[in-house]
Amino acid sequence: MKLLILVILCIWLANGLQRVPLKKHKSLRKTLRERGQLSQFWKSHKLDMIQYTQECSAFKDTSEPLLNYFDVEYFGQISIGNPPQNFTVLFDTGSSNLWVPSVYCASKACAAHSRFHPSQSSTYTEVGTAFSIQYGTGSLTGIIGMDQVTVEGLTIANQQFAESTSEPGSTFLDSEFDGILGLAYPSLAVDGVTPVFDNMIAQNLVELPIFSVYLSRNPDSSVGGELVFGGFDPSHFSGNLNWIPVTKQGYWQILLDNIQVGGTVEFCAEGCQAIVDTGTSLITGPSEDIKQMQNLIGAQPVDGEYAVECNNLNVMPSVTFTINGIPYTLTPEAYTLADSSDGMQLCTSGFQGLDMQTTSGPLWILGDVFIGQYYSVFDRGNNRVGLAPVAS
């Protein structure tokens, strides 16, 4: 009887969910590598495209959530207005605003992407509040408007969003996405705008105040992944979901117990804070810790990246993140990125140094390299994150 009830519950959870297919696109890193421009990009930009929150004490002049546009590969489709205008967006758990380029933006980056035409939407309302996000290599500015937003069959009424009117420099010029749809907590939202998911909840568009993310790490798969609003899909994971409390309601921030390399505790021995972030492709941590980790796994610096010998994957150590008492292990195949360049196979480390120093200490970021191995459920109703191994 218990088994029958569980099966019925799983069927109920899997049905009636709003599913957003995620397409996997070429990352900017790969594009630049193919052009032979990666080394020059690192020399001129380093990590200045990263965006931080005010709480990050080392970056007091910035005001917005983390955005690692350089590596992200997973995007989905939304529409704004009536009749609908379509956009490719990054669904980002590391920020909270929705923005797309405006037709009034003359920047090269805007011209290379889909732009919103407010005059062509019968449901558009001008709000007019100034919108600004500051990045290390430039800025994004615009105004706030309001219209209906449709996400895979769900239409959110009276959603405020930003229309970028200036995207100077090359920050977004080569990005595959038009804009960003933030899925973090309201406290990170610029101008106090209510995030899209919060409006979904308030307008009773979802069964449960939950969304979940599946990312395929299979390079040969035609499916990039799936974002589910209103619950989760048990077919995407094996075993049970393990729930971890959110420690700070801004990012989806949790506590890491420790990080082991090859079975030995090497980092976060007394615990540290981490973010589960779909907007960051790699796993990041304090620069000095990551340098040590690269050394432990045998990675060497090459053109701004850390590379490993592809033939050595079978002898490299596993890396385990212990969270709420549960070990989450990444094999070398899971934490390295295999690619080809000029006919040669290249394997790069999925770890990257990034110093995000907050009042509660440094933050680690569990990005797509981690989420690709562990199905991730974001529960706003109970302020917790659920993790389980991705189904084979």
Side-chain angles (χ1 to χ4, degrees), residues 107-386:
S107 302
K108 289 183 179 179
C110 295
H113 293 90
S114 297
R115 292 181 285 180
F116 180 71
H117 297 245
S119 63
Q120 295 181 8
S121 174
S122 63
T123 48
Y124 175 79
T125 300
E126 181 180 346
V127 177
T129 305
F131 178 84
S132 177
I133 296 177
Q134 183 69 46
Y135 296 92
T137 56
S139 61
L140 170 72
T141 59
I143 60 170
I144 299 294
M146 185 169 65
D147 208 330
Q148 64 182 36
V149 174
T150 300
V151 183
E152 203 64 28
L154 290 178
T155 298
I156 304 99
N158 303 318
Q159 176 63 53
Q160 292 192 12
F161 65 101
E163 307 161 56
S164 68
T165 54
S166 177
E167 296 180 20
S170 59
T171 303
F172 294 104
L173 181 60
D174 292 314
S175 66
E176 293 281 350
F177 56 85
D178 303 312
I180 291 173
L181 193 156
L183 292 168
Y185 281 81
S187 62
L188 293 187
V190 177
D191 295 332
V193 170
T194 302
V196 170
F197 189 59
D198 287 75
N199 274 330
M200 285 186 185
I201 297 170
Q203 296 176 24
N204 296 314
L205 298 177
V206 289
E207 190 74 27
L208 297 170
I210 292 173
F211 65 90
S212 51
V213 178
Y214 160 68
L215 300 180
S216 172
R217 300 302 284 180
N218 182 355
D220 299 321
S221 175
S222 59
V223 179
E226 184 178 68
L227 170 64
V228 171
F229 287 109
F232 54 87
D233 188 345
S235 69
H236 283 317
F237 61 89
S238 60
N240 298 316
L241 285 166
N242 297 309
W243 295 102
I244 304 110
V246 169
T247 56
K248 185 178 179 64
Q249 296 175 24
Y251 297 120
W252 287 90
Q253 187 171 320
I254 59 176
L255 176 65
L256 277 178
D257 298 344
N258 58 65
I259 302 173
Q260 304 171 41
V261 180
T264 302
V265 175
E266 301 286 354
F267 311 101
C268 295
E270 297 181 358
C272 54
Q273 297 293 308
I275 300 165
V276 184
D277 182 19
T278 59
T280 298
S281 181
L282 307 182
I283 295 174
T284 77
S287 296
E288 290 304 314
D289 287 351
I290 293 297
K291 283 182 182 179
Q292 185 180 344
M293 181 176 286
Q294 306 286 27
N295 183 59
L296 290 171
I297 66 174
Q300 299 296 322
V302 178
D303 288 340
E305 302 179 283
Y306 275 84
V308 299
E309 290 288 343
C310 296
N311 294 333
N312 289 345
L313 294 183
N314 61 334
V315 297
M316 289 166 56
S318 295
V319 177
T320 298
F321 297 82
T322 302
I323 307 172
N324 206 23
I326 305 294
Y328 296 88
T329 297
L330 299 179
T331 64
E333 291 79 9
Y335 67 69
T336 55
L337 309 175
D339 201 358
S340 58
S341 180
D342 297 328
M344 298 179 60
Q345 188 177 24
L346 178 67
C347 292
T348 57
S349 167
F351 301 107
Q352 187 176 68
L354 177 62
D355 295 307
M356 290 186 68
Q357 187 66 37
T358 71
T359 54
S360 57
L363 291 177
W364 288 71
I365 303 175
L366 305 180
D368 296 347
V369 167
F370 182 88
I371 298 171
Q373 303 302 316
Y374 294 99
Y375 189 73
S376 301
V377 181
F378 301 84
D379 183 353
R380 279 289 302 278
N382 296 291
N383 296 312
R384 59 183 184 173
V385 176

